[in-house]
Amino acid sequence: MKKYFNWTNLRLVLMLMLLVFLYSFTSKRNENRKLQKATVEFQDGEQLFITHETVNKLLIENKKDASSIRKVTLDLNNLENTINQHDMVEKAEVFVSVDGHLKAVVKQKTPVARIFEGNGSYYIDYKGTKMPLSTIHTARVPLVSGG
């Protein structure tokens, strides 16, 4: 008669059950966690055309503060697309750290010329797309007038 009871197999099954329990426990706890704060960082270190407050308002989706947002309900892809649609932003990356900090790394567009036309003026960035004028900063770029 063969012996089917093996202590090694029993320990392996118990460790697997413990692992599943701990994973489900931490997963459930992480779902209920709320964000601690929202942080905005500019890639080049300068906030010339868009301010921290503007990006922060886009991040927290018109709520009072970041601590009222649960991590599960947060759609990072949607937030990133919202920031990327801003006329002064070239690229944005949004992520949540392990400790619950919502962080956005923003790269602003770089104007290369300011175009004057009969009905107004605007900037053109190095990709050739239009940028509206900023109320915060005026770029020192060549002026081009159209006729």
Side-chain angles (χ1 to χ4, degrees):
M1 182 172 191
K2 289 187 177 180
K3 186 177 179 182
Y4 289 106
F5 185 72
N6 190 353
W7 285 104
T8 309
N9 291 341
L10 180 64
R11 276 190 250 152
L12 184 63
V13 169
L14 287 175
M15 286 176 53
L16 183 63
M17 288 173 46
L18 179 66
L19 185 68
V20 168
F21 170 75
L22 289 176
Y23 177 76
S24 64
F25 175 73
T26 57
S27 173
K28 189 67 170 172
R29 186 171 179 195
N30 193 33
E31 282 180 5
N32 295 328
R33 184 174 289 171
K34 292 186 179 182
L35 296 176
Q36 298 295 324
K37 67 178 183 175
T39 307
V40 178
E41 181 180 303
F42 290 98
Q43 196 169 18
D44 296 331
E46 299 177 358
Q47 56 171 1
L48 298 177
F49 300 106
I50 188 170
T51 63
H52 286 279
E53 292 81 23
T54 305
V55 178
N56 201 14
K57 285 180 185 177
L58 293 172
L59 279 177
I60 60 175
E61 300 174 337
N62 298 324
K63 294 189 170 96
K64 286 186 177 179
D65 59 355
S67 63
S68 64
I69 302 172
R70 290 181 46 208
K71 283 176 68 173
V72 170
T73 61
L74 195 63
D75 185 6
L76 294 175
N77 196 20
N78 187 23
L79 288 177
E80 197 168 289
N81 289 335
T82 302
I83 295 173
N84 281 330
Q85 289 175 356
H86 195 278
D87 292 331
M88 299 293 185
V89 174
E90 181 178 331
K91 181 182 175 192
E93 294 179 12
V94 179
F95 57 92
V96 177
S97 65
V98 175
D99 56 350
H101 287 47
L102 178 65
K103 188 169 183 180
V105 179
V106 178
K107 182 175 183 193
Q108 299 181 61
K109 289 183 179 178
T110 306
V112 294
R114 183 172 176 175
I115 308 296
F116 279 104
E117 290 183 340
N119 57 354
S121 66
Y122 55 89
Y123 292 117
I124 290 196
D125 69 349
Y126 71 95
K127 291 182 179 177
T129 59
K130 288 184 179 182
M131 285 176 58
L133 298 179
S134 174
T135 59
I136 301 167
H137 179 73
T138 303
R140 292 181 165 246
V141 292
L143 299 174
V144 178
S145 57

